Amino acid sequence: MSPGILILIAMLGIALLLFLVMGLRLQAFVALLLSSLFVAIAAGIPLNEIASTIQEGMGNTLGFIAIVVGLGTMFGEMLRVSGGAEQLANTLVRRFGQDRAQWALGLTGFLVAIPVFFDVGLIILIPLVYSLAQRTGKSLLYYAIPLTAGLAITHSYIPPTPGPVAVASLINADLGWVILFGTIAGLPAMVIGGVFFGKYIGGKIHVKVPEYMIIDAPHKEEVKDPPPFGTIVAIIGIPLLLILLNTVSGILLPEGNFLRNFLGFLGHPFTALLLAALASFYLLGTQRGYTQDEIQTIATKSLEPVGLIILVTGAGGVFGRVLVASGVGDALAGVMAASNLPIILLAFLIATAVRVSQGSATVSMVTAAGIMAPAIEAGNYSAPMAGLITIAIASGATVLSHVNDSGFWLVSRYLGLSEKNTLRSWTVMETIIGLVGFLVVFLISFFV
């Protein structure tokens, strides 16, 4: 290995160390930008070109991310405000029956987290877990682990949540393949890590509804006339189905075919999510008595929490662009090629290392994707393979959640768990679903 390549790899290592150290004291957005500046200056990019490189990386990423995440957030908030998420959960629990409530909760979490962020989904649905635990006398973990598994899997695997959308944008993966492989990998992960492990850990650690949660639970007006179950499923399914049809038509139909072009238009993430947002405004808003001003207020408020997420993903794009411009990415690609390790395994390991060190699943995914992007581009991988690599990164960014992850403390508070029991339950569950998801896509990669 030439000294030049070693120097470039060492620079990347220092940049990552700086990011992890600064991330402890600074916001991830600032830490990513500063790390990018270090790489740019150390690699000898002309000072008058650094700003334009940063602008290009941010602009290319946000041009896609901001629209997708913004539209997804708006229709997710309409689902929450209208009572649709609770209606979905209650209907599934009734149809599955109390004996199979674990399966219903896992599936509910999986569906609800497509348009709704993990923490919001947990806050909305945790009262159902409390109710079931009090009614049956079982441990809270028996019901909470399947629910949180479903929420966590979709949060990392299925667009339009920010993590998989950002990774797909950075490595040029088709969202249709990401949705397909995320579902194929996510469902068995939910069953094993959620239902089976939930049953096991619920028998080992008996947890009652914490008294402070009953006292502190915010008062929420009950929605008297929640939207029908079919309407909720249809609205969630609109963007997923259209995006998948776009991907399938691109494989089966020739270029220039009218149907392929039409499905390509409808199935582009921008169009698909715009239609879903408009459907939610009308079916969950106007038809249920909300005025235009109220719908506008709901949509506007929904965007407030996502500003920082969008900036962090944009900074990940900057980091990736600087790696390309500096030559670090090409050097890393060469080292990976010489190592003979499958790129899907390397993607998983890098995401895992960042996850353990940094904490946030979304930031870990963005950072790992920025590092891997040049190697993936150099390898000229197929669209299905890029989709598999996206899920491998998502899997690595899911495992080993611990005390530096906000999700760890959110679950700990809502379930009344000690740090030790949160590690035994939540952390182990996150690790199981991440490993199962990775193993599924790793096996599929041998046939793609």
Side-chain angles (χ1 to χ4, degrees), residues 186-442:
L187 288 176
M190 184 271 290
V191 172
I192 296 171
V195 177
F196 294 163
F197 178 68
K199 188 175 295 186
Y200 167 79
I201 199 67
K204 293 289 184 180
I205 306 174
H206 188 81
V207 181
K208 295 181 179 179
V209 179
E211 291 185 9
Y212 63 79
M213 284 310 305
I214 299 175
I215 297 170
D216 295 347
H219 174 70
K220 181 178 63 176
E221 292 185 10
E222 184 177 351
V223 178
K224 295 180 180 179
D225 184 26
F229 175 79
T231 300
I232 303 162
V233 173
I235 293 174
I236 293 175
I238 285 173
L240 303 183
L241 179 61
L242 290 176
I243 291 170
L244 286 171
L245 284 175
N246 176 28
T247 300
V248 172
S249 69
I251 298 171
L252 300 180
L253 300 177
E255 287 189 26
N257 180 277
F258 172 78
L259 181 59
R260 173 174 171 168
N261 291 340
F262 181 66
L263 291 175
F265 168 70
L266 289 181
H268 190 283
F270 294 174
T271 314
L273 285 165
L274 179 60
L275 291 173
L278 291 174
S280 70
F281 293 159
Y282 179 70
L283 296 174
L284 304 181
T286 303
Q287 278 203 336
R288 316 208 70 75
Y290 288 91
T291 66
Q292 292 300 312
D293 287 342
E294 288 173 330
I295 294 173
Q296 184 176 5
T297 299
I298 292 169
T300 302
K301 292 285 287 184
S302 72
L303 297 175
E304 292 178 1
V306 303
L308 192 54
I309 293 172
I310 290 173
L311 284 177
V312 168
T313 55
V318 171
F319 191 54
R321 181 64 198 142
V322 167
L323 289 180
V324 172
S326 66
V328 173
D330 292 335
L332 185 63
V335 172
M336 288 178 177
S339 71
N340 292 321
L341 286 176
I343 193 163
I344 198 167
L345 175 59
L346 287 165
F348 172 78
L349 293 175
I350 288 173
T352 299
V354 180
R355 162 69 157 175
V356 172
S357 304
Q358 194 276 331
S360 166
T362 300
V363 174
S364 302
M365 291 170 71
V366 170
T367 307
I371 295 170
M372 294 298 301
I376 295 169
E377 184 179 352
N380 194 28
Y381 294 98
S382 65
M385 190 63 182
L388 291 171
I389 294 171
T390 300
I391 303 304
I393 291 173
S395 300
T398 299
V399 302
L400 296 172
S401 166
H402 60 94
V403 295
N404 63 356
D405 178 17
S406 61
F408 178 95
W409 297 107
L410 187 71
V411 170
S412 175
R413 168 163 174 80
Y414 273 90
L415 300 185
L417 296 170
S418 65
E419 287 82 356
K420 177 183 177 181
N421 283 338
T422 309
L423 288 167
R424 291 175 63 193
S425 54
W426 162 259
T427 302
V428 173
M429 181 273 289
E430 285 274 89
T431 304
I432 291 172
I433 64 177
L435 288 175
V436 172
F438 168 70
L439 288 174
V440 170
V441 294
F442 187 62

Side-chain angles (χ1 to χ4, degrees), residues 27-38:
Q27 216 288 320
F29 169 66
V30 178
L32 275 169
L33 285 182
L34 289 175
S35 300
S36 301
L37 280 173
F38 167 79

